[in-house]
Amino acid sequence: KAGVTQTPRYLIKTRGQQVTLSCSPISGHRSVSWYQQTPGQGLQFLFEYFSETQRNKGNFPGRFSGRQFSNSRSEMNVSTLELGDSALYLCASSLEQLTDTQYFGPGTRLTVL
Amino acid sequence: AQSVSQHNHHVILSEAASLELGCNYSYGGTVNLFWYVQYPGQHLQLLLKYFSGDPLVKGIKGFEAEFIKSKFSFNLRKPSVQWSDTAEYFCAVRGSTLGRLYFGRGTQLTVWP
């Protein structure tokens, strides 16, 4: 079974721009979570989607948003990019229950110049 | 809010040495506990997990972890490490009724051949 896939793998943007990252979960998984990984803050939870609805949200500003499609694929969007948004953005999928194990994708490395 | 502490930022061992990585968490309710590993250039992979039952859980590649409820700890162990265990190890905690994971800051393990 294919794992979680994320596209693109690398992105370079400039301050003020916006970016959209994509995540395809493991087949059959209906929940998608997003995390930001930085050397300074470690791994931090952004949000989680299930059945096209945001089920959980972390403490990030409104510039960070996401959505989920009917096929469980998810996108996250960051508007008005700041230098501090440079990070590895990880997507994780799980079956459907809040208690199901999360499996991670390879991440998208975003660099903001 | 939950928090996770990993006591060792960087651990250096020789092959065949024993390993113990500490993880403590703060959360008053029932928890699910995880160890994830990130090998160089690879994505986060699940090493082992504890949901309930026997507090000593075994994972892949000879790793095990013990949940000690009274100490709020979930330490990772391996009796004899190999060079291929060189990686970053993350402890993660989740309240059993919540979807999001709280991660520790990670421990970089370097094993010398």
Side-chain angles (χ1 to χ4, degrees):
Chain A
K1 190 183 270 191
V4 178
T5 57
Q6 293 186 244
T7 57
R9 293 294 308 280
Y10 301 91
L11 264 179
I12 299 176
K13 293 286 187 179
T14 56
R15 277 183 300 173
Q17 287 187 309
Q18 77 165 24
V19 68
T20 299
L21 312 181
S22 181
C23 171
S24 293
I26 293 170
S27 177
H29 285 196
R30 297 173 59 197
S31 168
V32 173
S33 298
W34 289 88
Y35 294 83
Q36 182 197 63
Q37 186 177 20
T38 61
Q41 300 296 320
L43 278 148
Q44 293 188 292
F45 173 77
L46 281 154
F47 28 64
E48 183 227 352
Y49 285 87
F50 173 73
S51 200
E52 301 179 65
T53 301
Q54 188 179 85
R55 189 161 64 173
N56 262 303
K57 188 177 188 305
N59 297 324
F60 278 80
R63 299 186 297 108
F64 292 82
S65 63
R67 59 177 176 168
Q68 186 180 34
F69 302 94
S70 58
N71 61 357
S72 296
R73 190 177 69 85
S74 177
E75 288 181 347
M76 69 163 278
N77 184 277
V78 188
S79 62
T80 320
L81 284 166
E82 301 176 0
L83 294 179
D85 296 333
S86 294
L88 181 66
Y89 290 88
L90 296 172
C91 167
S93 76
S94 58
L95 280 168
E96 61 179 66
Q97 301 298 328
L98 292 170
T99 54
D100 289 326
T101 300
Q102 295 182 15
Y103 296 89
F104 285 81
T108 294
R109 172 74 63 185
L110 172 65
T111 302
V112 181
L113 303 176
Chain B
Q2 300 176 49
S3 67
V4 183
S5 297
Q6 291 184 241
H7 314 300
N8 309 102
H9 182 64
H10 196 175
V11 172
I12 302 173
L13 295 172
S14 298
E15 273 193 321
S18 64
L19 169 72
E20 181 159 3
L21 301 182
C23 172
N24 285 90
Y25 65 92
S26 65
Y27 183 71
T30 304
V31 293
N32 303 144
L33 298 157
F34 305 82
W35 277 97
Y36 284 87
V37 59
Q38 192 168 31
Y39 296 102
Q42 297 187 28
H43 59 277
L44 273 172
Q45 301 173 37
L46 181 67
L47 204 52
L48 49 77
K49 62 185 178 183
Y50 172 81
F51 279 25
S52 64
D54 188 344
L56 184 62
V57 292
K58 295 190 184 302
I60 60 172
K61 304 187 180 185
F63 285 90
E64 64 178 30
E66 185 175 13
F67 170 49
I68 303 180
K69 189 175 181 180
S70 61
K71 295 186 178 180
F72 298 90
S73 71
F74 189 54
N75 291 354
L76 181 71
R77 300 194 292 247
K78 186 171 184 178
S80 175
V81 295
Q82 301 173 314
W83 175 79
S84 58
D85 293 325
T86 294
E88 190 157 18
Y89 293 80
F90 293 90
C91 178
V93 172
R94 178 179 66 196
S96 61
T97 59
L98 305 172
R100 59 171 296 179
L101 292 169
Y102 290 84
F103 282 89
R105 296 301 297 273
T107 297
Q108 176 64 48
L109 171 65
T110 301
V111 180
W112 293 105

